[in-house]
């Protein structure tokens, strides 16, 4: 027998896999407990300067991208690959084994067996047994062996590959993560209402990233509880490319906008002291929306008018209502109170206007591009499949040995399964009983 290379044996060891998984689990707990990607001053303030320096040496603030954590992942990947290379050929030989060449003595010694004698001829019995197995989902093959006739049927031979499907799924997940890390990004931006941008800022580094298109926040709406705490909020985003609107969508938490593989998630908001006023002429439905600083006037060019906020009431940082000053080219100015988010009709000499107002907000967006995410999903699907196959399915085999004797034909049925032997024993008992009944 050829001796294995010690290095190859080390990397194909199950002990190495268990040890690596243990280290990954422990370090992942550390990375969860200790906040990631904070400044060194933050770690020094919350732990100590000495601990912060240790964290910096060990790359704890960015642990999941540290050389040693990536090294552990690489070690696990190497272990899975080499382990599979080492063991899979033997499993494949079992899957494709010539079970009709099994020694009759081995069949006779199997733990699960049943036998009976029939007065039918050997060939007749073989045909009836094959038909009976076929009706129960077993495909039988047969071969003449000296003075006996051997039949063989099996189910679930490929279930032996379950553990290797799990191995492959982990490697596929790693591949998807690598693609996402190399070609994807994560960023954020605080985008005020009515404004647009074609750049965002990368998480961690603050580096500017060009999106390749423009995204605009048309509107931001928020609801509050009676206590003043935010209840729900949403943004209306418009994506434009080459000066053409391509996508417009209202996003809320857990319902993002995705365009060209880049996903915009609603994550936060920021209230301003400015206001957003919309004025509509009811005669011609002409509308103009303007941002409005507090206690300043703003020209409304479409209406030949001016508007301003002269007072406001707030609950905490939230504006609840505002006092509006409005004047067109007819008569003295109109002043009135307007509840935030509502609208009023203002009658002027010969004209009517609808005026709506609200506090101006900036929507906080988390932006992510991950071209490897579908590969990760594929890997997760493979893992579920592999675990199901490995734990809930088994390779079941049935041998039937027919021996022609003076007083008839002896039928010996034997079987084995590589897993769930208790369950297979029930299947075998029922199957052998049915076979005996079907050949009476």
């Amino acid at each position: 027998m050829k001796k294995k290379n010690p290095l190859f044996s080390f990397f194909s060891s199950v002990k190495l896999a268990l040890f690596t998984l243990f280290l990954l689990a422990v370090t992942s707990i550390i990375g969860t407990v200790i906040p990631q990607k904070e400044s060194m001053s933050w770690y020094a303030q919350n732990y100590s300067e000495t601990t912060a320096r240790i964290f910096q040496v060990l790359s704890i603030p960015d642990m999941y991208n540290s050389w040693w954590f990536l090294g552990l992942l690489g070690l696990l990947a190497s272990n899975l690959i080499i382990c599979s290379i080492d063991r899979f050929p033997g499993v494949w030989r079992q899957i494709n084994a010539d079970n009709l060449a099994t020694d009759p003595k081995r069949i006779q010694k199997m733990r699960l067996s049943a036998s009976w004698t029939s007065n039918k001829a050997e060939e007749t019995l073989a045909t009836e047994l094959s038909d009976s197995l076929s009706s129960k989902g077993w495909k039988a093959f047969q071969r003449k062996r000296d003075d006996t006739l051997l039949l063989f049927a099996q189910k679930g031979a490929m279930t032996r590959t379950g553990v290797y499907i799990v191995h492959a799924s982990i490697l596929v997940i790693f591949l998807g993560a690598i693609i996402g890390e190399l070609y994807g990004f994560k960023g954020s931006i605080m985008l005020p209402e009515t404004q647009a941008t074609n750049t965002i800022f990368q998480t961690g580094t603050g580096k500017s990233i060009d999106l390749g298109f423009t995204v605009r926040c048309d509107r931001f709406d928020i609801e509050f509880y009676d206590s003043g705490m935010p209840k729900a909020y949403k943004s209306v985003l418009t994506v434009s490319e080459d000066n053409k609107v391509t996508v417009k969508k209202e996003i809320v938490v857990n319902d993002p906008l995705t365009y060209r593989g880049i996903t915009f998630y609603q994550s936060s908001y920021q209230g301003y002291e400015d206001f957003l006023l919309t004025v509509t002429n009811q005669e011609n439905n002409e509308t103009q929306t303007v941002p409005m600083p507090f206690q300043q006037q703003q020209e409304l060019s479409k209406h030949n008018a001016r508007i301003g906020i002269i007072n406001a009431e707030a609950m905490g940082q939230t504006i609840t209502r505002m006092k509006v000053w409005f004047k067109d080219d007819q008569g003295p100015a109109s002043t009135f109170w307007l509840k935030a988010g509502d609208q009023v009709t203002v009658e002027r000499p010969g004209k009517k206007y609808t005026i709506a107002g609200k506090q101006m907000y900036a929507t906080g967006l988390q932006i992510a591009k991950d071209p490897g995410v579908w590969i990760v999903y594929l890997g997760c699907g493979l893992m579920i499949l592999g675990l199901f196959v490995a734990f809930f399915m088994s390779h079941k085999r049935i041998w039937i040995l027919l021996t022609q004797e003076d007083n008839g034909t002896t039928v010996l049925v034997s079987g084995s399964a590589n897993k769930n032997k208790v369950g297979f024993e029930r299947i075998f008992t029922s199957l052998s009983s049915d076979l005996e009944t079907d050949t009476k």
Side-chain angles (χ1 to χ4, degrees):
M1 182 178 178
K2 187 177 179 181
K3 188 176 180 181
K4 285 186 179 180
N5 183 297
L7 187 63
F8 188 87
S9 297
F10 171 76
F11 278 104
S12 64
S13 168
V14 175
K15 292 181 180 179
L16 176 63
L18 294 174
F19 180 70
T20 307
L21 288 171
F22 173 76
L23 288 181
L24 286 170
V26 172
T27 53
S28 295
I29 292 172
I30 295 172
T32 302
V33 173
I34 299 175
Q36 298 290 291
K37 297 186 177 180
E38 298 289 349
S39 65
M40 292 311 300
S41 60
W42 186 93
Y43 292 107
Q45 181 180 355
N46 287 273
Y47 295 93
S48 69
E49 290 189 5
T50 302
T51 305
R53 284 195 291 270
I54 294 173
F55 283 178
Q56 187 175 21
V57 171
L58 296 177
S59 300
I60 297 297
D62 192 14
M63 194 192 77
Y64 298 110
N65 290 313
S66 64
W67 62 268
W68 57 267
F69 189 83
L70 295 177
L72 286 175
L73 294 178
L75 182 62
L76 178 61
S78 300
N79 175 255
L80 293 175
I81 293 171
I82 296 174
C83 179
S84 298
I85 291 173
D86 181 43
R87 292 172 171 78
F88 185 74
V91 172
W92 192 250
R93 284 193 295 270
Q94 285 184 305
I95 292 172
N96 293 283
D98 182 8
N99 288 281
L100 288 172
T102 305
D103 189 345
K105 292 182 179 179
R106 180 189 167 197
I107 297 172
Q108 293 168 356
K109 293 179 180 179
M110 288 183 179
R111 187 180 68 85
L112 291 179
S113 63
S115 62
W116 66 90
T117 301
S118 173
N119 56 8
K120 295 181 180 178
E122 188 180 80
E123 293 295 334
T124 303
L125 265 178
T127 301
E128 291 180 356
L129 288 167
S130 295
D131 291 343
S132 181
L133 286 170
S134 179
S135 67
K136 295 172 179 58
W138 298 77
K139 185 177 180 180
F141 300 89
Q142 64 182 40
R143 182 183 298 170
K144 188 69 178 177
R145 298 284 304 276
D146 298 328
D147 57 346
T148 62
L149 182 62
L150 181 61
L151 282 76
F152 173 77
Q154 65 179 343
K155 283 183 179 181
M158 295 302 294
T159 60
R160 290 181 178 271
T161 64
V163 65
Y164 302 101
I165 295 175
V166 174
H167 289 184
S169 71
I170 296 173
L171 297 175
V172 170
I173 291 172
F174 285 176
L175 176 63
I178 291 170
I179 292 174
E181 184 67 26
L182 293 177
Y183 302 105
F185 58 79
K186 290 182 179 180
S188 62
I189 193 168
M190 195 66 71
L191 186 61
E193 290 180 274
T194 74
Q195 294 189 24
T197 184
N198 59 2
T199 59
I200 63 167
F201 300 98
Q202 188 173 34
T203 302
T205 65
K207 177 183 175 183
S208 177
I209 299 174
D210 187 0
L211 295 174
F213 55 86
T214 300
V215 59
R216 182 180 72 245
C217 177
D218 295 330
R219 185 177 177 87
F220 179 88
D221 292 306
I222 185 168
E223 297 179 31
F224 294 92
Y225 290 105
D226 294 338
S227 62
M229 294 296 292
K231 180 179 181 181
Y233 47 90
K234 60 186 177 182
S235 303
V236 178
L237 301 182
T238 297
V239 175
S240 301
E241 194 168 5
D242 299 328
N243 295 320
K244 294 180 180 179
V245 175
T246 54
V247 177
K248 185 171 184 177
K249 183 180 178 180
E250 179 181 281
I251 69 168
V252 295
V253 177
N254 296 327
D255 185 16
L257 179 152
T258 300
Y259 180 72
R260 284 175 48 180
I262 300 176
T263 303
F264 296 83
Y265 298 92
Q266 180 71 73
S267 64
S268 62
Y269 67 92
Q270 179 181 338
Y272 292 149
E273 293 183 356
D274 295 347
F275 302 83
L276 206 61
L277 297 177
T278 301
V279 180
T280 303
N281 188 327
Q282 293 185 5
E283 292 182 355
N284 55 21
N285 289 324
E286 195 164 29
T287 298
Q288 185 173 357
T289 300
V290 291
M292 178 63 58
F294 184 52
Q295 293 184 338
Q296 294 185 28
Q297 291 185 16
Q298 186 84 358
E299 292 287 338
L300 297 171
S301 57
K302 291 184 178 182
H303 305 293
N304 192 23
R306 288 177 298 164
I307 196 168
I309 303 293
I310 58 176
N311 200 358
E313 294 179 353
M315 178 185 292
Q317 300 296 317
T318 303
I319 303 296
T320 56
R321 69 174 188 155
M322 63 208 75
K323 191 172 185 179
V324 181
W325 176 92
F326 177 74
K327 186 179 187 307
D328 61 5
D329 55 357
Q330 303 291 325
S334 299
T335 59
F336 52 91
W337 283 95
L338 174 62
K339 186 178 179 181
D342 283 355
Q343 63 181 29
V344 297
T345 298
V346 178
E347 295 189 10
R348 301 291 296 168
K351 295 180 182 178
K352 285 185 179 181
Y353 297 91
T354 300
I355 299 179
K358 64 186 290 291
Q359 183 179 2
M360 190 171 179
Y361 288 89
T363 180
L365 301 175
Q366 293 288 337
I367 300 97
K369 180 182 180 181
D370 188 356
V373 66
W374 290 106
I375 298 176
V376 172
Y377 290 161
L378 174 62
C380 292
L382 282 175
M383 180 173 289
I384 293 171
L385 173 64
L387 291 172
F388 181 82
V389 169
F391 286 103
F392 299 104
M393 302 180 73
S394 62
H395 184 193
K396 299 178 282 290
R397 294 180 290 180
I398 297 292
W399 288 268
I400 304 177
L401 191 65
L402 303 180
T403 305
Q404 188 71 52
E405 297 179 353
D406 294 338
N407 60 341
T409 304
T410 301
V411 181
L412 173 65
V413 182
S414 299
S416 70
N418 65 327
K419 287 174 291 186
N420 190 18
K421 298 183 184 297
V422 174
F424 177 70
E425 186 170 352
R426 290 195 297 268
I427 293 172
F428 178 83
T429 301
S430 175
L431 179 64
S432 59
S433 176
D434 290 344
L435 290 175
E436 183 176 2
T437 301
D438 293 343
T439 56
K440 286 291 186 178

